[in-house]
Amino acid sequence: MSKRYQSGMFCIDINCPRHGQLEGLEGDAYLNKKAEHCKECYAWKFLGWLHDKNYRIVLTIPEMASKELVARIKGIDPVRVEDLTEDEILCL
């Protein structure tokens, strides 16, 4: 089960004692105060680094068989092509 990210989620999860001063702020006010207040926090530094590099965190999916992955990449229901090889699926 996954949950959608909300401002301060990590801080709340680790019970950061500094987060209380940020509660109630939103948008740019939150980000500006956070940048000043949490500049030594490694988690905040990491999120800033991701933003600077235009990287993003994505939800990973459980491992699946290569044949199923190929079918999904092609937008085909894996059950419909279960008798085909990966190469045959890619040629569709």
Side-chain angles (χ1 to χ4, degrees), residues 5-90:
Y5 178 79
Q6 296 173 354
S7 294
M9 183 179 284
F10 177 76
C11 302
I12 293 167
D13 290 343
I14 65 165
N15 295 318
C16 175
R18 296 176 152 197
H19 182 70
Q21 296 176 17
L22 301 170
E23 287 182 7
L25 299 176
E26 294 180 0
D28 288 339
Y30 174 83
L31 293 174
N32 292 335
K33 180 74 173 180
K34 179 88 174 160
E36 174 190 325
H37 190 64
C38 300
K39 63 184 172 191
E40 298 302 318
C41 173
Y42 287 115
W44 183 248
K45 287 180 182 181
F46 176 67
L47 289 174
W49 180 85
L50 289 173
H51 177 68
D52 293 344
K53 302 289 185 188
N54 287 328
Y55 292 147
R56 59 191 171 125
I57 298 173
V58 296
L59 179 66
T60 59
I61 59 173
E63 285 193 35
M64 64 179 70
S66 61
K67 193 190 258 185
E68 181 180 353
L69 179 60
V70 169
R72 290 180 184 270
I73 289 171
K74 292 293 286 187
I76 302 169
D77 181 8
V79 175
R80 295 184 62 197
V81 292
E82 64 187 3
D83 296 331
L84 301 176
T85 68
E86 287 93 346
D87 289 335
E88 291 170 332
I89 296 169
L90 287 171

